[in-house]
Amino acid sequence: MGSMLLFAVLLATSFWSCVDMQAVPGQSPGQQTQLRGTSASMSCKLQRRETVHWYKQLPGEQPKRILYDSEGTPVFDSTSDRNRMQVWSDPAQPIYHLTINSLTPRDSGIYFCAYWYFTTVGYYNKVFGSGTKLVVSEKASSPPANSEILHTKHKNQTTYVCLIEKFYPEVIRVTWTDDEKEVTDNVVKGDTWQSPKDDEYSIASWLTVPAENKDKNYYCKYEHEEKQASLSTQDSMKTASQEEDCGKVFNRDQLMHRTAYLVYIILLLKSSMYYLILLFFSYKVWASTKHQGKKA
């Protein structure tokens, strides 16, 4: 009797989990950059036919619904974008599409698709997709113009620097792997920096390995919306003269951080100076008014 009761409980728990474990909609692309005045399209893939809701999220805000798809007809929460947005679905499979025309910078944001489902406890729940980040810019997206691995040796260890240069926009994912899995120990990812001459960005990532692993092959992989690539440490080993360039990468990164710090200090001093000047003139006006008051 006890075993039968246990089996019934396990069966009910399994059924509960199966019903309430809803699949997250898959969205593509993960990110896209489009020029002002052009169009952007994104898709949402579900496991079955549903009424799909589209949301837009701005930085620091909660997602806000912009429309829902009622059998191929968009129902808008606001009429302002009615003429610029279109929805349609794939007749063969549950894939739903959203297109935004005549893009402006205010269309930038993260777009989520979502659907409702009825839970086993008698209420509706909402499942959001993975999201598509849209960037509307005056400049078109571009893949990295250069990527390479530099290295330097110090005592009993080797440091590899994966340098990826001149890409736009700044969103990029950089990882290190060996022949089997992703490497996370002794990895430092630097911040993206922007070229002072244009809007392109660069980034560097460091991997430090012990000397006994000098013959082991590592890969620096990057994923940008315009390109994905993998660089090999063995294929990109540099000569001794090029190792000096590795030092320049470190110095350049440190120099940029130091420059930003100095600019901050200068601005702080300038604001303090303006405050003192304003305080001085306020005092002069107050003193002059007080002096005239005494004469009267």
Side-chain angles (χ1 to χ4, degrees):
M1 181 70 179
S3 60
M4 289 295 295
L5 179 61
L6 177 60
F7 175 77
V9 170
L10 291 175
L11 182 62
T13 304
S14 176
F15 177 76
W16 183 293
S17 301
C18 182
V19 172
D20 278 353
M21 284 276 289
Q22 299 298 314
V24 174
Q27 287 187 237
S28 62
Q31 175 176 327
Q32 59 177 311
T33 301
Q34 300 291 349
L35 292 173
R36 178 201 291 264
T38 60
S39 300
S41 295
M42 57 198 76
S43 64
C44 174
K45 185 175 183 180
L46 305 180
Q47 287 189 333
R48 59 182 179 271
R49 296 286 178 182
E50 301 280 359
T51 298
V52 174
H53 303 250
W54 287 95
Y55 289 77
K56 176 184 176 183
Q57 183 181 29
L58 296 176
E61 298 182 9
Q62 294 294 322
K64 295 181 180 179
R65 194 177 70 173
I66 53 179
L67 63 90
Y68 67 90
D69 183 353
S70 177
E71 298 181 354
T73 301
V75 179
F76 292 86
D77 285 43
S78 172
T79 60
S80 60
D81 296 321
R82 179 185 299 273
N83 297 325
R84 298 193 307 116
M85 294 188 178
Q86 300 172 333
V87 297
W88 77 97
S89 61
D90 190 314
Q93 50 188 332
I95 300 179
Y96 299 82
H97 304 272
L98 170 67
T99 295
I100 309 171
N101 300 308
S102 303
L103 291 170
T104 67
R106 69 184 182 88
D107 292 315
S108 296
I110 303 178
Y111 290 79
F112 296 94
C113 65
Y115 69 94
W116 292 91
Y117 75 95
F118 193 70
T119 68
T120 54
V121 293
Y123 65 89
Y124 282 95
N125 200 1
K126 188 189 305 179
V127 182
F128 280 90
S130 51
T132 294
K133 183 177 181 180
L134 173 63
V135 178
V136 181
S137 172
E138 302 290 348
K139 177 181 172 63
S141 60
S142 58
N146 177 62
S147 58
E148 58 183 326
I149 293 181
L150 309 170
H151 81 281
T152 183
K153 298 178 181 178
H154 179 69
K155 295 183 178 179
N156 59 345
Q157 61 185 21
T158 299
T159 298
Y160 299 102
V161 179
C162 183
L163 178 61
I164 306 165
E165 298 180 293
K166 298 182 179 180
F167 54 86
Y168 184 85
E170 70 274 21
V171 179
I172 192 170
R173 183 172 183 262
V174 182
T175 56
W176 287 93
T177 63
D178 55 22
D179 292 324
E180 299 175 356
K181 61 183 183 305
E182 181 176 346
V183 178
T184 56
D185 293 339
N186 300 316
V187 171
V188 177
K189 179 183 176 182
D191 297 328
T192 55
W193 69 79
Q194 188 175 11
S195 170
K197 296 181 181 180
D198 49 47
D199 293 332
E200 295 175 325
Y201 293 85
S202 299
I203 193 171
S205 180
W206 292 263
L207 168 65
T208 301
V209 299
E212 56 266 25
N213 290 351
K214 63 182 179 64
D215 295 328
K216 186 174 182 179
N217 197 18
Y218 296 92
Y219 301 89
C220 173
K221 298 183 178 181
Y222 68 83
E223 300 174 33
H224 187 261
E225 64 177 80
E226 288 292 332
K227 184 178 180 182
Q228 299 181 9
S230 178
L231 309 176
S232 169
T233 55
Q234 290 186 355
D235 294 340
S236 304
M237 290 296 284
K238 304 300 178 179
T239 62
S241 60
Q242 289 173 314
E243 288 179 10
E244 298 175 1
D245 294 335
C246 185
K248 292 179 182 178
V249 175
F250 285 96
N251 293 335
R252 176 169 57 185
D253 198 50
Q254 294 171 356
L255 178 61
M256 292 184 65
H257 285 81
R258 180 169 295 187
T259 301
Y261 177 76
L262 291 176
V263 169
Y264 170 77
I265 294 297
I266 292 172
L267 291 176
L268 183 62
L269 291 175
K270 287 178 69 176
S271 63
S272 301
M273 186 180 300
Y274 290 148
Y275 174 77
L276 292 175
I277 292 174
L278 182 61
L279 188 62
F280 174 77
F281 280 106
S282 299
Y283 173 77
K284 293 287 288 185
V285 172
W286 174 80
S288 176
T289 304
K290 185 177 181 181
H291 181 67
Q292 291 177 359
K294 286 184 177 180
K295 285 184 176 181

PDB file of all heavy atoms in Angstrom, residues 176-200:
ATOM      1  N   TRP A 176      37.734  31.594 -24.336  1.00  0.00           N
ATOM      2  CA  TRP A 176      38.919  30.757 -24.558  1.00  0.00           C
ATOM      3  C   TRP A 176      38.517  29.297 -24.394  1.00  0.00           C
ATOM      4  O   TRP A 176      37.760  28.953 -23.480  1.00  0.00           O
ATOM      5  CB  TRP A 176      40.014  31.106 -23.557  1.00  0.00           C
ATOM      6  CG  TRP A 176      40.706  32.408 -23.811  1.00  0.00           C
ATOM      7  CD1 TRP A 176      40.381  33.623 -23.275  1.00  0.00           C
ATOM      8  CD2 TRP A 176      41.846  32.619 -24.641  1.00  0.00           C
ATOM      9  NE1 TRP A 176      41.250  34.587 -23.726  1.00  0.00           N
ATOM     10  CE2 TRP A 176      42.159  33.997 -24.570  1.00  0.00           C
ATOM     11  CE3 TRP A 176      42.633  31.796 -25.439  1.00  0.00           C
ATOM     12  CZ2 TRP A 176      43.233  34.558 -25.266  1.00  0.00           C
ATOM     13  CZ3 TRP A 176      43.697  32.342 -26.136  1.00  0.00           C
ATOM     14  CH2 TRP A 176      43.996  33.713 -26.055  1.00  0.00           C
ATOM     15  N   THR A 177      39.032  28.425 -25.254  1.00  0.00           N
ATOM     16  CA  THR A 177      38.771  26.996 -25.150  1.00  0.00           C
ATOM     17  C   THR A 177      40.059  26.226 -25.438  1.00  0.00           C
ATOM     18  O   THR A 177      40.988  26.754 -26.067  1.00  0.00           O
ATOM     19  CB  THR A 177      37.690  26.531 -26.146  1.00  0.00           C
ATOM     20  OG1 THR A 177      38.153  26.755 -27.482  1.00  0.00           O
ATOM     21  CG2 THR A 177      36.390  27.273 -25.924  1.00  0.00           C
ATOM     22  N   ASP A 178      40.088  24.996 -24.954  1.00  0.00           N
ATOM     23  CA  ASP A 178      41.150  24.077 -25.384  1.00  0.00           C
ATOM     24  C   ASP A 178      40.515  23.092 -26.357  1.00  0.00           C
ATOM     25  O   ASP A 178      39.469  23.374 -26.933  1.00  0.00           O
ATOM     26  CB  ASP A 178      41.823  23.384 -24.202  1.00  0.00           C
ATOM     27  CG  ASP A 178      40.839  22.662 -23.307  1.00  0.00           C
ATOM     28  OD1 ASP A 178      39.720  22.341 -23.786  1.00  0.00           O
ATOM     29  OD2 ASP A 178      41.159  22.412 -22.134  1.00  0.00           O
ATOM     30  N   ASP A 179      41.112  21.962 -26.551  1.00  0.00           N
ATOM     31  CA  ASP A 179      40.548  21.001 -27.507  1.00  0.00           C
ATOM     32  C   ASP A 179      39.281  20.330 -27.002  1.00  0.00           C
ATOM     33  O   ASP A 179      38.610  19.624 -27.755  1.00  0.00           O
ATOM     34  CB  ASP A 179      41.585  19.926 -27.854  1.00  0.00           C
ATOM     35  CG  ASP A 179      42.743  20.505 -28.663  1.00  0.00           C
ATOM     36  OD1 ASP A 179      42.483  21.395 -29.494  1.00  0.00           O
ATOM     37  OD2 ASP A 179      43.894  20.071 -28.448  1.00  0.00           O
ATOM     38  N   GLU A 180      38.948  20.544 -25.713  1.00  0.00           N
ATOM     39  CA  GLU A 180      37.831  19.807 -25.140  1.00  0.00           C
ATOM     40  C   GLU A 180      36.711  20.711 -24.637  1.00  0.00           C
ATOM     41  O   GLU A 180      35.540  20.450 -24.862  1.00  0.00           O
ATOM     42  CB  GLU A 180      38.326  18.918 -23.984  1.00  0.00           C
ATOM     43  CG  GLU A 180      39.360  17.881 -24.417  1.00  0.00           C
ATOM     44  CD  GLU A 180      39.908  17.102 -23.239  1.00  0.00           C
ATOM     45  OE1 GLU A 180      39.535  17.433 -22.093  1.00  0.00           O
ATOM     46  OE2 GLU A 180      40.682  16.159 -23.462  1.00  0.00           O
ATOM     47  N   LYS A 181      37.059  21.810 -23.940  1.00  0.00           N
ATOM     48  CA  LYS A 181      36.018  22.597 -23.272  1.00  0.00           C
ATOM     49  C   LYS A 181      36.455  24.052 -23.145  1.00  0.00           C
ATOM     50  O   LYS A 181      37.587  24.426 -23.470  1.00  0.00           O
ATOM     51  CB  LYS A 181      35.746  22.023 -21.882  1.00  0.00           C
ATOM     52  CG  LYS A 181      36.936  22.035 -20.961  1.00  0.00           C
ATOM     53  CD  LYS A 181      36.630  21.384 -19.644  1.00  0.00           C
ATOM     54  CE  LYS A 181      37.803  21.453 -18.673  1.00  0.00           C
ATOM     55  NZ  LYS A 181      39.054  20.900 -19.213  1.00  0.00           N
ATOM     56  N   GLU A 182      35.530  24.875 -22.645  1.00  0.00           N
ATOM     57  CA  GLU A 182      35.830  26.288 -22.421  1.00  0.00           C
ATOM     58  C   GLU A 182      36.768  26.440 -21.219  1.00  0.00           C
ATOM     59  O   GLU A 182      36.637  25.731 -20.215  1.00  0.00           O
ATOM     60  CB  GLU A 182      34.544  27.078 -22.165  1.00  0.00           C
ATOM     61  CG  GLU A 182      34.772  28.574 -21.939  1.00  0.00           C
ATOM     62  CD  GLU A 182      33.491  29.358 -21.773  1.00  0.00           C
ATOM     63  OE1 GLU A 182      32.417  28.803 -22.101  1.00  0.00           O
ATOM     64  OE2 GLU A 182      33.552  30.514 -21.315  1.00  0.00           O
ATOM     65  N   VAL A 183      37.717  27.341 -21.349  1.00  0.00           N
ATOM     66  CA  VAL A 183      38.682  27.622 -20.279  1.00  0.00           C
ATOM     67  C   VAL A 183      38.285  28.924 -19.595  1.00  0.00           C
ATOM     68  O   VAL A 183      38.112  29.961 -20.253  1.00  0.00           O
ATOM     69  CB  VAL A 183      40.112  27.738 -20.845  1.00  0.00           C
ATOM     70  CG1 VAL A 183      41.095  28.072 -19.735  1.00  0.00           C
ATOM     71  CG2 VAL A 183      40.507  26.445 -21.548  1.00  0.00           C
ATOM     72  N   THR A 184      38.115  28.860 -18.273  1.00  0.00           N
ATOM     73  CA  THR A 184      37.729  30.054 -17.507  1.00  0.00           C
ATOM     74  C   THR A 184      38.771  30.451 -16.463  1.00  0.00           C
ATOM     75  O   THR A 184      38.780  31.604 -16.019  1.00  0.00           O
ATOM     76  CB  THR A 184      36.379  29.823 -16.802  1.00  0.00           C
ATOM     77  OG1 THR A 184      36.469  28.647 -15.980  1.00  0.00           O
ATOM     78  CG2 THR A 184      35.267  29.628 -17.829  1.00  0.00           C
ATOM     79  N   ASP A 185      39.630  29.520 -16.066  1.00  0.00           N
ATOM     80  CA  ASP A 185      40.658  29.839 -15.075  1.00  0.00           C
ATOM     81  C   ASP A 185      41.751  30.699 -15.710  1.00  0.00           C
ATOM     82  O   ASP A 185      42.181  30.453 -16.843  1.00  0.00           O
ATOM     83  CB  ASP A 185      41.276  28.556 -14.507  1.00  0.00           C
ATOM     84  CG  ASP A 185      40.288  27.761 -13.675  1.00  0.00           C
ATOM     85  OD1 ASP A 185      39.298  28.360 -13.203  1.00  0.00           O
ATOM     86  OD2 ASP A 185      40.480  26.537 -13.523  1.00  0.00           O
ATOM     87  N   ASN A 186      42.202  31.698 -14.954  1.00  0.00           N
ATOM     88  CA  ASN A 186      43.293  32.584 -15.389  1.00  0.00           C
ATOM     89  C   ASN A 186      42.980  33.296 -16.707  1.00  0.00           C
ATOM     90  O   ASN A 186      43.851  33.485 -17.554  1.00  0.00           O
ATOM     91  CB  ASN A 186      44.606  31.794 -15.518  1.00  0.00           C
ATOM     92  CG  ASN A 186      45.034  31.149 -14.218  1.00  0.00           C
ATOM     93  OD1 ASN A 186      44.977  31.775 -13.159  1.00  0.00           O
ATOM     94  ND2 ASN A 186      45.452  29.892 -14.282  1.00  0.00           N
ATOM     95  N   VAL A 187      41.710  33.657 -16.860  1.00  0.00           N
ATOM     96  CA  VAL A 187      41.266  34.418 -18.029  1.00  0.00           C
ATOM     97  C   VAL A 187      40.796  35.790 -17.567  1.00  0.00           C
ATOM     98  O   VAL A 187      40.038  35.909 -16.608  1.00  0.00           O
ATOM     99  CB  VAL A 187      40.122  33.696 -18.776  1.00  0.00           C
ATOM    100  CG1 VAL A 187      39.526  34.602 -19.857  1.00  0.00           C
ATOM    101  CG2 VAL A 187      40.628  32.411 -19.399  1.00  0.00           C
ATOM    102  N   VAL A 188      41.267  36.825 -18.242  1.00  0.00           N
ATOM    103  CA  VAL A 188      40.854  38.194 -17.951  1.00  0.00           C
ATOM    104  C   VAL A 188      40.348  38.814 -19.249  1.00  0.00           C
ATOM    105  O   VAL A 188      41.052  38.828 -20.259  1.00  0.00           O
ATOM    106  CB  VAL A 188      42.010  39.049 -17.391  1.00  0.00           C
ATOM    107  CG1 VAL A 188      41.547  40.491 -17.169  1.00  0.00           C
ATOM    108  CG2 VAL A 188      42.529  38.446 -16.099  1.00  0.00           C
ATOM    109  N   LYS A 189      39.125  39.307 -19.209  1.00  0.00           N
ATOM    110  CA  LYS A 189      38.555  39.967 -20.382  1.00  0.00           C
ATOM    111  C   LYS A 189      38.574  41.472 -20.151  1.00  0.00           C
ATOM    112  O   LYS A 189      38.007  41.979 -19.184  1.00  0.00           O
ATOM    113  CB  LYS A 189      37.121  39.499 -20.634  1.00  0.00           C
ATOM    114  CG  LYS A 189      36.480  40.174 -21.846  1.00  0.00           C
ATOM    115  CD  LYS A 189      35.038  39.733 -22.020  1.00  0.00           C
ATOM    116  CE  LYS A 189      34.370  40.479 -23.167  1.00  0.00           C
ATOM    117  NZ  LYS A 189      32.943  40.109 -23.325  1.00  0.00           N
ATOM    118  N   GLY A 190      39.236  42.190 -21.031  1.00  0.00           N
ATOM    119  CA  GLY A 190      39.287  43.634 -20.916  1.00  0.00           C
ATOM    120  C   GLY A 190      38.007  44.279 -21.415  1.00  0.00           C
ATOM    121  O   GLY A 190      37.171  43.644 -22.055  1.00  0.00           O
ATOM    122  N   ASP A 191      37.822  45.555 -21.110  1.00  0.00           N
ATOM    123  CA  ASP A 191      36.671  46.299 -21.606  1.00  0.00           C
ATOM    124  C   ASP A 191      36.909  46.715 -23.058  1.00  0.00           C
ATOM    125  O   ASP A 191      38.051  46.885 -23.492  1.00  0.00           O
ATOM    126  CB  ASP A 191      36.442  47.552 -20.751  1.00  0.00           C
ATOM    127  CG  ASP A 191      36.116  47.213 -19.309  1.00  0.00           C
ATOM    128  OD1 ASP A 191      35.489  46.154 -19.093  1.00  0.00           O
ATOM    129  OD2 ASP A 191      36.489  47.982 -18.414  1.00  0.00           O
ATOM    130  N   THR A 192      35.818  46.870 -23.796  1.00  0.00           N
ATOM    131  CA  THR A 192      35.967  47.391 -25.154  1.00  0.00           C
ATOM    132  C   THR A 192      36.400  48.849 -25.085  1.00  0.00           C
ATOM    133  O   THR A 192      36.003  49.582 -24.182  1.00  0.00           O
ATOM    134  CB  THR A 192      34.643  47.293 -25.931  1.00  0.00           C
ATOM    135  OG1 THR A 192      33.614  47.959 -25.188  1.00  0.00           O
ATOM    136  CG2 THR A 192      34.254  45.851 -26.166  1.00  0.00           C
ATOM    137  N   TRP A 193      37.258  49.253 -26.017  1.00  0.00           N
ATOM    138  CA  TRP A 193      37.635  50.670 -26.105  1.00  0.00           C
ATOM    139  C   TRP A 193      37.342  51.171 -27.505  1.00  0.00           C
ATOM    140  O   TRP A 193      37.340  50.423 -28.485  1.00  0.00           O
ATOM    141  CB  TRP A 193      39.100  50.864 -25.713  1.00  0.00           C
ATOM    142  CG  TRP A 193      40.112  50.297 -26.675  1.00  0.00           C
ATOM    143  CD1 TRP A 193      40.544  50.840 -27.847  1.00  0.00           C
ATOM    144  CD2 TRP A 193      40.836  49.064 -26.526  1.00  0.00           C
ATOM    145  NE1 TRP A 193      41.487  50.049 -28.440  1.00  0.00           N
ATOM    146  CE2 TRP A 193      41.689  48.948 -27.658  1.00  0.00           C
ATOM    147  CE3 TRP A 193      40.864  48.070 -25.570  1.00  0.00           C
ATOM    148  CZ2 TRP A 193      42.548  47.870 -27.836  1.00  0.00           C
ATOM    149  CZ3 TRP A 193      41.699  46.996 -25.760  1.00  0.00           C
ATOM    150  CH2 TRP A 193      42.539  46.895 -26.865  1.00  0.00           C
ATOM    151  N   GLN A 194      37.071  52.456 -27.579  1.00  0.00           N
ATOM    152  CA  GLN A 194      36.677  53.071 -28.835  1.00  0.00           C
ATOM    153  C   GLN A 194      37.817  53.883 -29.413  1.00  0.00           C
ATOM    154  O   GLN A 194      38.507  54.608 -28.688  1.00  0.00           O
ATOM    155  CB  GLN A 194      35.454  53.967 -28.625  1.00  0.00           C
ATOM    156  CG  GLN A 194      34.845  54.515 -29.907  1.00  0.00           C
ATOM    157  CD  GLN A 194      33.561  55.283 -29.636  1.00  0.00           C
ATOM    158  OE1 GLN A 194      33.228  55.582 -28.502  1.00  0.00           O
ATOM    159  NE2 GLN A 194      32.818  55.594 -30.689  1.00  0.00           N
ATOM    160  N   SER A 195      38.004  53.761 -30.710  1.00  0.00           N
ATOM    161  CA  SER A 195      39.044  54.531 -31.383  1.00  0.00           C
ATOM    162  C   SER A 195      38.683  56.006 -31.357  1.00  0.00           C
ATOM    163  O   SER A 195      37.529  56.371 -31.597  1.00  0.00           O
ATOM    164  CB  SER A 195      39.196  54.062 -32.834  1.00  0.00           C
ATOM    165  OG  SER A 195      40.039  54.941 -33.555  1.00  0.00           O
ATOM    166  N   PRO A 196      39.643  56.897 -31.042  1.00  0.00           N
ATOM    167  CA  PRO A 196      39.336  58.333 -31.003  1.00  0.00           C
ATOM    168  C   PRO A 196      39.035  58.918 -32.372  1.00  0.00           C
ATOM    169  O   PRO A 196      38.481  60.010 -32.472  1.00  0.00           O
ATOM    170  CB  PRO A 196      40.617  58.946 -30.409  1.00  0.00           C
ATOM    171  CG  PRO A 196      41.696  57.955 -30.715  1.00  0.00           C
ATOM    172  CD  PRO A 196      41.036  56.614 -30.674  1.00  0.00           C
ATOM    173  N   LYS A 197      39.365  58.196 -33.446  1.00  0.00           N
ATOM    174  CA  LYS A 197      39.184  58.735 -34.789  1.00  0.00           C
ATOM    175  C   LYS A 197      37.855  58.323 -35.428  1.00  0.00           C
ATOM    176  O   LYS A 197      37.392  58.969 -36.359  1.00  0.00           O
ATOM    177  CB  LYS A 197      40.339  58.285 -35.692  1.00  0.00           C
ATOM    178  CG  LYS A 197      41.700  58.818 -35.256  1.00  0.00           C
ATOM    179  CD  LYS A 197      42.791  58.358 -36.212  1.00  0.00           C
ATOM    180  CE  LYS A 197      44.161  58.868 -35.771  1.00  0.00           C
ATOM    181  NZ  LYS A 197      45.240  58.422 -36.700  1.00  0.00           N
ATOM    182  N   ASP A 198      37.239  57.246 -34.950  1.00  0.00           N
ATOM    183  CA  ASP A 198      35.984  56.794 -35.544  1.00  0.00           C
ATOM    184  C   ASP A 198      35.153  56.077 -34.482  1.00  0.00           C
ATOM    185  O   ASP A 198      35.477  56.092 -33.299  1.00  0.00           O
ATOM    186  CB  ASP A 198      36.241  55.861 -36.735  1.00  0.00           C
ATOM    187  CG  ASP A 198      37.244  54.762 -36.392  1.00  0.00           C
ATOM    188  OD1 ASP A 198      37.090  54.145 -35.322  1.00  0.00           O
ATOM    189  OD2 ASP A 198      38.185  54.537 -37.185  1.00  0.00           O
ATOM    190  N   ASP A 199      34.071  55.456 -34.904  1.00  0.00           N
ATOM    191  CA  ASP A 199      33.151  54.801 -33.979  1.00  0.00           C
ATOM    192  C   ASP A 199      33.431  53.320 -33.797  1.00  0.00           C
ATOM    193  O   ASP A 199      32.617  52.599 -33.224  1.00  0.00           O
ATOM    194  CB  ASP A 199      31.705  54.977 -34.475  1.00  0.00           C
ATOM    195  CG  ASP A 199      31.247  56.422 -34.424  1.00  0.00           C
ATOM    196  OD1 ASP A 199      31.762  57.157 -33.572  1.00  0.00           O
ATOM    197  OD2 ASP A 199      30.401  56.799 -35.246  1.00  0.00           O
ATOM    198  N   GLU A 200      34.562  52.841 -34.286  1.00  0.00           N
ATOM    199  CA  GLU A 200      34.864  51.421 -34.197  1.00  0.00           C
ATOM    200  C   GLU A 200      35.456  51.064 -32.831  1.00  0.00           C
ATOM    201  O   GLU A 200      36.070  51.902 -32.177  1.00  0.00           O
ATOM    202  CB  GLU A 200      35.808  51.022 -35.324  1.00  0.00           C
ATOM    203  CG  GLU A 200      35.175  51.160 -36.701  1.00  0.00           C
ATOM    204  CD  GLU A 200      36.156  50.883 -37.820  1.00  0.00           C
ATOM    205  OE1 GLU A 200      37.346  51.226 -37.652  1.00  0.00           O
ATOM    206  OE2 GLU A 200      35.739  50.343 -38.850  1.00  0.00           O
TER     207      GLU A 200
END
